[in-house]
Amino acid sequence: MFSTGILVLTSPLHVLPLRIAPVLSSAAQLVDRTLYIHLHPGLNLGSGSPPRPVYLPPVVDLSTFITRLYSNAADVCGHLDVRFLLTNIRAHPTACSGSQTPSSPFPSPQPLSHSPEVVLTDFAVQDPHQTNQVTQCLEKYAGCCYVCRPGLSSVLLHPQLQENEDRLRNQGEKLECLETYSDVVVGGTFDRLHGAHKSLLNVSCVLASKRFVIGVCNQAMLKKKVLKELVEPYSLRVQKLKEFLQDTKPSLQVEIVPLDDPFGVSIVDPLLKCIVVSEETKKGGEAVNQKRIENGLQPLVLHEIQLLKDVHHTDIEEEKISSSSLRFRLLGTLLAPPKDASHLPTLPYVIGLTGGSGSGKTSIAKQLEALGAVRIDCDKLGHEVYQKGTAAYHKVLEVFGSEILNEDQSINRRALGRKVFGNKEQLKALTDIVWPEIAELAQSRIHQAREEGKRVCVVDAAVLLEAGWTDWIHEVWLTIIPEEEAVSRITERDGVTVEDAQHRLQSQWSNSKQVEHANVVFSALWEPEITRKQVRHVVLWSWKPHIYIFYNVVRNVTAVQFSP
């Protein structure tokens, strides 16, 4: 198995859409991270003479093939980072007449972000005795085009032929030229760069002969995104785009700009000629042209590409390949490795579960408790520290006075809340008293669980991160929901006004800030069964060898327990 490979496709372009799925499937058995695709239809590796790379004209079939390539890649080798290379694709005045371009597309080998360790091809060897000659030619050809690892290996793939392939091969090609444009623009979020993004970018690179402008959604454009808290940072999305485009077509002038509104530079840049859209975003492209006309600019050519279907989507995911589906699939998985906890006892393994008001945290904590974990409810512990006679009780009276007491001398927490509401200094004075006491009680419960031989504790704490309690837990698990949904739940559950619910949420850490500290994230936005699946996923497929999972299967999982 190799980390990075380059696949040289030699079949005729009109045949490749039928061939590409089995070819990718074969390649995926040899490469496990990055697979570059280099196209050279008609390349003869068995002639005995050293093959040379040539320019290929941009044609309609190429655009169609790119879409099919990424669609099939998502289906048969979704774990691979597939990148279609376009250095040898170039429009020129006589491209469709079949005349040769005088200069080579590779004056020197092109460096790639990941140097290939193996070169693969779909070239069919007619005589088995030629195999060594073909592999040597293949290695020389790849080395002529790209900077490869020393000791480059080569493999001839033998994919199972698709039905009708021979018939198509005999029909011959009818190449229709694809119109290209000096300056092309696209826009999008480009979160977790996937096959549909790559298809859009590759087709845009084929269409662009000089400059490619990409508008990338900034923070203001993410507000309505599903699970927006899991969208990668803008800088990371830009970094991934730059790497992909540098590999794909390094000769192209690429400009990546932040997109703070639906239009961005597309309505003010007079040099732009074409905008690439999908069936879903075509109306947006038409709106861009309306704005350009209003601004006295020429409208852009709308080049429409197909949406890529996601054959693995679930009932609550989009049918197309989308970033929102990928973010949904991150729920209940390990997003970040646990921090070093070598200073803590191995057992019990302590999970800190947190989340904002109304997020469904308590429900998830109870699910984990039902699976055998010891639940430590810090809200209940908070009530304990206020009891008469405790250290916290006397300290609170010293700071806030006796007017916060009920007739029975117990602390009236509503009265206390009114004193600290909107006053950061008073609130800090209170939390400085209460939080350490709650932490001490929680740690005593963990010690008790250890004495009883328990293996997992779940610390259910809304203020886990604000209070700085992560030093005595192994992992942070977080549950999130959109603010508007949280407001709706709080008002219904607690009978407070919308304004009070919003103030409550604004006094807590934002979802995005909490996600930065989380190892695992859940969302209780959907039906309860969806949340239960997230919990079962992280438990059943636990990555921690010291948590023993026991489950009985009777048609499906009927019981899951953290078992000693």
Side-chain angles (χ1 to χ4, degrees):
M1 182 66 76
F2 301 91
S3 174
T4 303
I6 185 161
L7 171 60
V8 177
L9 296 174
T10 65
S11 299
L13 189 55
H14 68 294
V15 173
L16 276 172
L18 280 178
R19 290 207 88 182
I20 193 60
V23 169
L24 288 173
S25 183
S26 298
Q29 297 177 39
L30 298 164
V31 178
D32 64 4
R33 188 179 71 170
T34 305
L35 181 66
Y36 292 107
I37 310 290
H38 174 92
L39 183 65
H40 191 153
L43 176 65
N44 188 353
L45 295 170
S47 66
S49 58
R52 297 296 179 198
V54 297
Y55 276 112
L56 303 173
V59 293
V60 173
D61 280 358
L62 177 62
S63 176
T64 304
F65 171 66
I66 288 172
T67 302
R68 176 69 69 90
L69 166 70
Y70 286 112
S71 178
N72 287 161
D75 186 12
V76 303
C77 56
H79 64 288
L80 284 181
D81 177 5
V82 175
R83 305 184 182 191
F84 186 69
L85 304 174
L86 296 167
T87 301
N88 61 328
I89 310 294
R90 190 178 78 172
H92 51 94
T94 57
C96 292
S97 66
S99 62
Q100 293 292 317
T101 305
S103 59
S104 167
F106 300 95
S108 60
Q110 174 187 333
L112 298 169
S113 300
H114 311 283
S115 297
E117 305 160 54
V118 62
V119 56
L120 316 167
T121 186
D122 65 340
F123 180 79
V125 178
Q126 302 300 322
D127 182 355
H129 294 96
Q130 284 189 311
T131 299
N132 287 339
Q133 175 186 309
V134 169
T135 55
Q136 289 174 12
C137 283
L138 179 62
E139 291 167 15
K140 289 179 181 178
Y141 179 84
C144 177
C145 299
Y146 305 100
V147 177
C148 300
R149 291 274 184 91
L152 179 72
S153 300
S154 57
V155 178
L156 307 182
L157 301 177
H158 302 284
Q160 184 177 353
L161 299 182
Q162 292 282 334
E163 186 180 354
N164 297 327
E165 183 176 323
D166 287 336
R167 179 178 57 80
L168 279 175
R169 183 185 294 274
N170 294 330
Q171 283 181 357
E173 290 185 288
K174 295 179 182 179
L175 298 180
E176 178 187 350
C177 282
L178 189 66
E179 186 172 358
T180 59
Y181 309 89
S182 59
D183 300 75
V184 174
V185 65
V186 299
T189 308
F190 297 101
D191 179 40
R192 306 184 187 279
L193 201 64
H194 52 65
H197 292 142
K198 294 174 184 178
S199 178
L200 170 67
L201 294 169
N202 270 151
V203 171
S204 299
C205 286
V206 171
L207 295 172
S209 60
K210 180 182 177 182
R211 184 172 68 122
F212 183 23
V213 180
I214 308 170
V216 179
C217 292
N218 214 348
Q219 201 62 37
M221 290 289 289
L222 301 179
K223 292 179 180 179
K224 295 184 179 180
K225 296 290 183 183
V226 176
L227 297 171
K228 63 181 180 181
E229 299 85 359
L230 298 183
V231 173
E232 293 172 321
Y234 176 83
S235 59
L236 179 58
R237 287 178 279 139
V238 169
Q239 177 189 329
K240 289 183 177 181
L241 279 171
K242 287 181 176 178
E243 179 186 299
F244 179 82
L245 293 167
Q246 179 62 29
D247 279 346
T248 299
K249 195 173 181 179
S251 63
L252 202 58
Q253 178 187 338
V254 174
E255 295 178 13
I256 301 177
V257 295
L259 199 56
D260 295 312
D261 61 66
F263 302 106
V265 298
S266 67
I267 61 172
V268 295
D269 189 330
L271 298 178
L272 294 174
K273 307 296 182 187
C274 171
I275 183 170
V276 185
V277 298
S278 67
E279 177 186 347
E280 188 178 62
T281 61
K282 186 176 181 179
K283 287 186 177 180
E286 293 169 349
V288 164
N289 277 341
Q290 184 61 42
K291 288 284 187 181
R292 286 181 68 87
I293 293 170
E294 291 173 5
N295 292 339
L297 299 175
Q298 287 293 316
L300 303 176
V301 174
L302 268 61
H303 183 94
E304 185 177 341
I305 63 171
Q306 290 181 330
L307 292 171
L308 270 60
K309 291 186 177 181
D310 185 352
V311 298
H312 305 293
H313 78 276
T314 63
D315 291 341
I316 66 168
E317 295 174 348
E318 295 184 85
E319 291 187 4
K320 64 171 186 174
I321 294 175
S322 72
S323 298
S324 59
S325 294
L326 295 183
R327 291 193 295 273
F328 176 79
R329 293 169 196 173
L330 292 174
L331 299 174
T333 69
L334 185 65
L335 297 182
K339 61 179 175 54
D340 178 27
S342 54
H343 62 289
L344 298 175
T346 305
L347 295 175
Y349 198 84
V350 183
I351 297 165
L353 179 64
T354 190
S357 185
S359 65
K361 171 181 60 65
T362 299
S363 172
I364 289 175
K366 289 178 179 178
Q367 290 179 49
L368 292 169
E369 183 178 28
L371 298 176
V374 174
R375 178 187 171 210
I376 300 170
D377 186 342
C378 288
D379 190 48
K380 287 184 177 179
L381 298 184
H383 285 282
E384 287 186 30
V385 301
Y386 283 111
Q387 296 298 312
K388 284 192 294 184
T390 63
Y393 175 87
H394 294 295
K395 290 177 183 177
V396 168
L397 287 185
E398 287 177 15
V399 174
F400 296 100
S402 58
E403 61 267 28
I404 63 169
L405 293 178
N406 293 311
E407 291 183 3
D408 63 358
Q409 300 301 298
S410 63
I411 291 176
N412 185 324
R413 294 182 66 179
R414 285 185 178 273
L416 180 59
R418 285 192 293 270
K419 278 216 165 198
V420 302
F421 181 77
N423 189 320
K424 291 184 177 179
E425 290 184 3
Q426 290 280 69
L427 180 61
K428 186 177 186 307
L430 177 62
T431 57
D432 284 349
I433 295 170
V434 175
W435 284 353
E437 298 292 331
I438 296 174
E440 186 175 333
L441 285 178
Q443 290 175 75
S444 70
R445 299 292 196 278
I446 294 170
H447 178 75
Q448 180 182 342
R450 184 179 305 116
E451 293 293 314
E452 295 173 358
K454 304 296 184 182
R455 293 186 175 273
V456 181
C457 288
V458 175
V459 178
D460 178 358
V463 298
L464 180 82
L465 298 174
E466 295 98 316
W469 292 345
T470 55
D471 286 344
W472 43 274
I473 65 170
H474 293 89
E475 286 187 38
V476 175
W477 290 9
L478 169 68
T479 177
I480 59 174
I481 56 170
E483 182 177 331
E484 56 272 19
E485 176 65 19
V487 168
S488 174
R489 293 183 183 186
I490 293 168
T491 54
E492 183 177 343
R493 181 190 66 192
D494 300 342
V496 298
T497 65
V498 169
E499 185 179 20
D500 286 342
Q502 290 172 336
H503 282 312
R504 185 185 302 182
L505 291 171
Q506 289 163 5
S507 70
Q508 301 170 353
W509 277 20
S510 68
N511 285 342
S512 296
K513 187 174 181 180
Q514 292 188 86
V515 166
E516 293 175 7
H517 299 269
N519 302 107
V520 175
V521 174
F522 305 102
S523 179
L525 177 60
W526 297 275
E527 296 297 320
E529 179 55 29
I530 302 298
T531 310
R532 284 193 287 271
K533 285 181 179 178
Q534 297 170 29
V535 174
R536 286 200 296 267
H537 183 273
V538 76
V539 172
L540 284 172
W541 303 106
S542 175
W543 55 91
K544 295 172 283 296
H546 42 270
I547 296 183
Y548 296 90
I549 307 300
F550 168 78
Y551 57 96
N552 297 319
V553 181
V554 182
R555 295 187 180 175
N556 53 23
V557 177
T558 56
V560 183
Q561 292 184 326
F562 296 99
S563 176

